[in-house]
Amino acid sequence: MTTEAAEKRPHVGLFVTCLVDLLRPSVGFAAIKLLEDAGARVEVPESQTCCGQPAYNSGDRADAKAIARSVIETFERFDYVVAPSGSCAGMLRVHYPSLLADDPHFAERARALAAKSYELTSFLVEVLGLDKVAARFEGNVTYHDSCSCLRELKVRDAPRRLLKSVDGLSLTEMEETEVCCGFGGTFSVKYPGISSAIDEAKVRNIVKSGAACLLAGDLGCLLHIAGRLSRDGSKVECRHVAEVLAGMVGAPAIGQARKAG
């Protein structure tokens, strides 16, 4: 590919997310592979930080605004901003404009960034026009819709459309798939009893589906659910949808230890 042709590809800034960076980097690499295979030019800015959602959800508007300004300054040069997380993408796309609405230096910049910020699977399908992937995953899976993806971003069909193209994969919808898993970030810390009860119901539906693997687009949900499945002694695995779509499933499932030797 010539330099000119490469530069004509959409320039995507990958918002890695804190959880992916610290706990599951393979999701970030899978996202890069998917985006590049679909024709994007991907860059991961080293100066990126948290999206500010923990501060925002805890009522700390001052720190949330400071973080939002930093994110905008880091990512506004890209054609698009893509995150392998409906939660973080929702923060950029839905909450930044209102958070900085009264800031004369950042209000318009926040709206501009929001307009070009996407969750990974929705970007692949709706912007890049991807309808299939070259991946294989043997087994029956079920899919959990995170609240941010489903309710804030209205993303539901994109991950399922791509999963249908994965060789060997069979998708079985669980009951109440649209219901929260109980994580909610700081919600699970503030209200552990309620969070645990919601998680218990979600896990019950996952197991009842008969699927051997749970997929989702938000690592927070996956960590929360995987912890409960592990404590219950369940053999159901948990993986981020990006890993399966990219064919990068060599790492142990979320919450499972690497095998010695």
Side-chain angles (χ1 to χ4, degrees):
M1 181 182 296
T2 65
T3 301
E4 182 179 358
E7 291 180 349
K8 287 183 178 180
R9 295 182 298 164
H11 192 195
V12 171
L14 182 67
F15 191 88
V16 175
T17 85
C18 298
L19 291 180
V20 168
D21 181 38
L22 296 173
L23 299 175
R24 193 74 173 181
S26 56
V27 174
F29 291 112
I32 293 171
K33 182 179 187 301
L34 286 166
L35 290 165
E36 290 184 339
D37 287 351
R41 182 163 53 101
V42 184
E43 186 175 336
V44 183
E46 293 185 7
S47 59
Q48 66 178 287
T49 62
C50 174
C51 68
Q53 186 176 180
Y56 180 79
N57 288 344
S58 298
D60 183 359
R61 293 296 188 267
D63 281 337
K65 288 180 179 180
I67 295 170
R69 294 185 189 105
S70 176
V71 171
I72 291 168
E73 289 175 336
T74 300
F75 283 92
E76 61 186 348
R77 64 187 175 88
F78 295 102
D79 298 328
Y80 299 97
V81 183
V82 176
S85 162
S87 180
C88 295
M91 184 66 189
L92 273 60
R93 190 174 182 91
V94 178
H95 298 293
Y96 274 17
S98 59
L99 182 64
L100 297 173
D102 297 329
D103 189 323
H105 301 293
F106 279 89
E108 179 55 38
R109 294 164 73 181
R111 289 192 291 270
L113 188 83
K116 60 183 181 181
S117 297
Y118 290 85
E119 180 273 335
L120 175 64
T121 62
S122 66
F123 181 75
L124 291 169
V125 172
E126 297 167 14
V127 179
L128 297 184
L130 191 68
D131 59 5
K132 61 181 179 180
V133 294
R136 184 171 187 82
F137 185 83
E138 292 288 348
N140 186 17
V141 307
T142 193
Y143 193 86
H144 165 67
D145 293 289
S146 75
C147 292
S148 296
C149 246
L150 188 63
R151 293 166 176 80
E152 289 187 342
L153 302 178
K154 313 302 181 187
V155 175
R156 188 184 189 282
D157 294 337
R160 290 170 170 82
R161 185 183 306 182
L162 296 176
L163 285 171
K164 287 180 180 178
S165 70
V166 176
D167 288 341
L169 183 147
S170 175
L171 175 63
T172 299
E173 297 287 1
M174 74 176 90
E175 294 181 8
E176 300 181 327
T177 182
E178 76 285 355
V179 174
C180 177
C181 71
F183 175 55
T186 54
F187 175 86
S188 62
V189 177
K190 293 178 180 177
Y191 307 102
I194 300 174
S195 173
S196 180
I198 297 172
D199 194 20
E200 181 181 0
K202 172 60 67 172
V203 165
R204 186 165 55 246
N205 284 327
I206 291 169
V207 173
K208 187 178 178 181
S209 75
C213 182
L214 171 74
L215 302 180
D218 269 275
L219 191 51
C221 297
L222 286 164
L223 289 166
H224 187 61
I225 296 170
R228 183 57 181 249
L229 286 166
S230 177
R231 291 191 296 275
D232 288 351
S234 173
K235 294 183 179 180
V236 176
E237 295 185 348
C238 294
R239 293 187 180 275
H240 194 284
V241 66
E243 296 175 312
V244 171
L245 294 177
M248 298 172 64
V249 292
I254 294 168
Q256 292 186 358
R258 293 184 179 275
K259 295 181 179 179

